[in-house]
Amino acid sequence: MAMKRAATSAIRALSSSSPSSSVSSGSSTRLFHASAESKKIVGVFYKANEYASLNPNFVGSLEGALGIRDWLESQGHQYIVTDDKEGLDSELEKHIPDLHVLITTPFHPAYVTAERIKRAKNLQLLLTAGIGSDHIDLKAAAAAGLTVAEVTGSNVVSVAEDELMRILILVRNFLPGYHQVINGEWNVAAIAYRAYDLEGKTVGTVGAGRIGKLLLQRLKPFNCNLLYHDRLKMDPELEKQTGAKFEEDLDSLLSKCDVVVINTPLTEKTRGMFDKERIAKMKKGVLIVNNARGAIMDTQAVVDACSSGQIGGYSGDVWNPQPAPKDHPWRYMPNQAMTPHISGTTIDGQLRYAAGVKDMLDRYFKGEEFPPQNYIVKEGKLASQYL
């Protein structure tokens, strides 16, 4: 509750200036600086429809608009929100030529292509309300001198908790039991023959950044064998605290794991990383949780492996593309526990990333630097995790 109160108050009362330092700008950087000039800001969010009025803190929706409309308009800025983002006839497309700032989320992403960046002559700033900016062509953004930033850390707790839930759902074979109840059935054997304890199982995370570390900490009490693979080793103290062991070779980690959790960003290196060949190197019946990005997986390879039993269960909330079309094969493959992209958009997470967006807009209007960890593209350079 303390976290929620803090985030709520941050939304309502973000205000006075922090120490100012001007944003330096190279010859290719689109300038943004302190100015009385009115800015056109466009936000792309999912519609809440009848759910919009059920929670006053539901700020991550189209209707909630991050809770910043009154604040922006009181300062003379134009704020347009839409959920219509696809194609040349979309509402977003109408505003591309003259918007200054585009805010979008990973949950209903506006795909910012090189073509859109080229047409956006006034665009200076791309903000992700949440974490994960791979819906943006980051190389094109860097070449155009744009700033790309996200609210780092805003929903890491939300995602880590969700991953732990999914691990337990798969290990305990929960969903068939739930479906029996709503279908009026009772067949314990149909569930129990593939339900296990988490204790003693080997769980590995591919990626041990903020979310991966939180997941390892939360798994510690379950007495699992914990492994992790990452570009960098964790702090020795955290390794000792969690008991997690570093695996430098990814395939070595995968061959040992009963459960694999994907926690790596989507980059050129990780796109399609889990293909038919890599999945075949994993234990037969492996359980996979992926709340990172759908495109890290080869879509058809996952379907085939779930059908053959090579993958014993697959759960996640990320798809390629998003929103997932009705005929997406992951909707219909066996032993899946998929949801729409929800893990990072809890009400608590929304309040945190809304406050973070407001903070960065405030700094943008004043010509101040953002928190360093929030930059994804700055002065033509990409953050290390996207290289």
Side-chain angles (χ1 to χ4, degrees):
M1 290 302 294
M3 208 160 23
K4 182 184 287 187
R5 286 195 298 270
T8 307
S9 80
I11 288 176
R12 292 174 179 162
L14 209 157
S15 58
S16 36
S17 45
S18 47
S20 172
S21 68
S22 296
V23 177
S24 62
S25 53
S27 58
S28 65
T29 303
R30 300 191 191 183
L31 298 175
F32 66 89
H33 49 77
S35 170
E37 176 191 355
S38 173
K39 301 292 185 183
K40 182 174 185 178
I41 298 152
V42 176
V44 178
F45 311 107
Y46 55 80
K47 274 186 180 178
N49 297 312
E50 69 270 24
Y51 303 102
S53 62
L54 299 182
N55 190 329
N57 290 324
F58 193 176
V59 295
S61 63
L62 176 77
E63 295 83 353
L66 300 183
I68 57 176
R69 179 179 295 283
D70 290 346
W71 173 71
L72 285 172
E73 292 180 350
S74 71
Q75 298 189 50
H77 302 296
Q78 184 181 8
Y79 187 35
I80 295 163
V81 295
T82 183
D83 73 320
D84 182 18
K85 60 191 177 66
E86 303 295 343
L88 293 175
D89 295 327
S90 66
E91 182 68 18
L92 171 60
E93 198 67 29
K94 296 176 187 175
H95 301 290
I96 289 289
D98 63 346
L99 59 78
H100 297 93
V101 180
L102 176 61
I103 306 168
T104 186
T105 76
F107 318 106
H108 187 73
Y111 291 99
V112 184
T113 61
E115 291 74 20
R116 277 181 163 169
I117 288 172
K118 188 175 181 180
R119 290 196 298 274
K121 302 299 184 183
N122 291 338
L123 181 60
Q124 298 169 338
L125 177 61
L126 291 158
L127 289 178
T128 298
I131 303 170
S133 298
D134 48 86
H135 54 279
I136 299 166
D137 186 325
L138 296 176
K139 286 188 175 180
L146 301 178
T147 296
V148 182
E150 58 189 39
V151 191
T152 300
S154 59
N155 51 23
V156 293
V157 169
S158 312
V159 177
E161 288 184 358
D162 186 272
E163 289 177 342
L164 179 58
M165 174 191 71
R166 290 175 192 276
I167 291 170
L168 289 166
I169 282 173
L170 292 178
V171 169
R172 300 306 292 265
N173 202 25
F174 173 83
L175 278 182
Y178 170 73
H179 289 144
Q180 280 191 24
V181 169
I182 61 176
N183 292 330
E185 301 168 357
W186 190 283
N187 185 348
V188 174
I191 304 157
Y193 84 101
R194 58 192 304 271
Y196 297 88
D197 296 337
L198 183 54
E199 184 175 47
K201 302 301 182 292
T202 298
V203 182
T205 175
V206 181
R210 291 176 176 86
I211 296 170
K213 289 184 178 75
L214 287 177
L215 176 65
L216 291 171
Q217 289 173 326
R218 282 154 176 74
L219 284 168
K220 171 71 168 159
F222 287 88
N223 297 320
C224 304
N225 303 311
L226 299 178
L227 304 175
Y228 74 96
H229 169 81
D230 199 88
R231 295 180 299 121
L232 304 170
K233 288 193 69 174
M234 290 193 304
D235 180 81
E237 185 58 35
L238 188 56
E239 271 194 352
K240 182 179 179 182
Q241 175 197 333
T242 60
K245 296 179 181 178
F246 177 67
E247 288 279 349
E248 186 171 3
D249 182 73
L250 173 59
D251 290 335
S252 174
L253 175 141
L254 296 177
S255 68
K256 299 172 182 176
C257 288
D258 303 297
V259 181
V260 173
V261 185
I262 314 299
N263 275 313
T264 187
L266 177 63
T267 66
E268 290 181 7
K269 185 177 179 181
T270 63
R271 185 178 296 274
M273 181 168 70
F274 284 84
D275 55 14
K276 179 180 179 180
E277 289 72 25
R278 178 149 273 146
I279 291 171
K281 296 177 182 178
M282 303 167 84
K283 280 187 177 182
K284 185 171 179 62
V286 66
L287 306 177
I288 299 177
V289 171
N290 178 15
N291 282 0
R293 287 296 180 265
I296 293 171
M297 317 299 292
D298 179 312
T299 298
Q300 191 58 46
V302 171
V303 174
D304 294 342
C306 283
S307 299
S308 71
Q310 175 62 22
I311 294 177
Y314 185 92
S315 184
D317 70 339
V318 286
W319 307 68
N320 182 32
Q322 290 191 177
K326 289 184 179 180
D327 62 352
H328 196 293
W330 286 0
R331 292 181 183 267
Y332 310 105
M333 64 188 181
N335 301 321
Q336 58 89 356
M338 296 296 296
T339 62
H341 195 170
I342 56 170
S343 61
T345 190
T346 62
I347 294 299
D348 303 286
Q350 289 176 41
L351 291 171
R352 290 190 292 267
Y353 63 68
V357 167
K358 185 175 181 183
D359 174 65
M360 287 192 289
L361 285 173
D362 192 51
R363 292 168 185 257
Y364 163 66
F365 298 142
K366 297 171 181 175
E368 297 175 357
E369 293 273 358
F370 299 156
Q373 68 272 17
N374 286 12
Y375 284 105
I376 302 301
V377 176
K378 181 184 181 185
E379 297 173 1
K381 296 180 180 178
L382 272 68
S384 60
Q385 67 265 34
Y386 284 97
L387 294 175

